[in-house]
Amino acid sequence: MQKRILVVDDDDMNLARTQIILEDNYEVVLAESGIRALNILKKQKIDLVLLDIDMPLMNGIETFEHMKEFAADIPVIFLTASGEVEDVVGALLLGAVDYLKKPYPPQELLKRVAQEFEKK
């Protein structure tokens, strides 16, 4: 059975691009907000989350903090366009398994996702 990845990003182009990169190897579920992502996580089995940091209403860090209340075992890789060191360090300190700076090469995304699934 294919692993299921939840991609969370407020930018439709980023969602579409990430889905295209991953869909040959994984089942991809898309969410355009942190709130939607949390609803999906409560209802579906998700194996990995790719989470944008900079989103309106509820940013990726806040989404991740809420996730920890009921889905702490799901690994999270943060995707960030900001290269803000504080964002990345904060995410890793909270328990994220990795991060990628956007725009990332497709092969790099596939490599990081595969590495995470190899740990299990």
Side-chain angles (χ1 to χ4, degrees):
M1 195 165 129
Q2 276 191 321
K3 297 282 190 186
R4 184 179 290 163
I5 299 173
L6 174 60
V7 182
V8 188
D9 199 312
D10 61 312
D11 183 305
D12 289 343
M13 288 299 293
N14 287 335
L15 286 174
R17 179 176 182 266
T18 306
Q19 181 171 18
I20 289 166
I21 293 167
L22 296 171
E23 66 189 356
D24 287 345
N25 301 301
Y26 305 101
E27 186 176 337
V28 180
V29 179
L30 304 177
E32 69 289 339
S33 71
I35 294 163
R36 175 99 178 97
L38 294 172
N39 287 332
I40 290 169
L41 286 163
K42 288 176 182 171
K43 295 176 181 158
Q44 297 184 36
K45 181 187 182 321
I46 299 292
D47 299 297
L48 176 79
V49 176
L50 297 175
L51 183 55
D52 184 26
I53 290 180
D54 189 21
M55 296 184 292
L57 303 178
M58 180 187 295
N59 70 32
I61 301 293
E62 293 166 323
T63 303
F64 187 42
E65 288 170 341
H66 286 291
M67 260 185 75
K68 291 167 120 351
E69 296 168 15
F70 63 90
D73 58 329
I74 300 173
V76 172
I77 297 175
F78 275 100
L79 306 175
T80 177
S82 92
E84 292 296 320
V85 175
E86 301 82 35
D87 287 347
V88 171
V89 171
L92 294 174
L93 287 174
L94 279 173
V97 296
D98 205 348
Y99 76 93
L100 269 171
K101 187 166 177 351
K102 295 190 270 186
Y104 42 78
Q107 287 310 109
E108 187 62 26
L109 176 63
L110 288 168
K111 182 177 104 179
R112 302 277 184 102
V113 168
Q115 284 173 338
E116 191 50 42
F117 285 138
E118 286 169 13
K119 293 179 189 176
K120 295 195 171 220

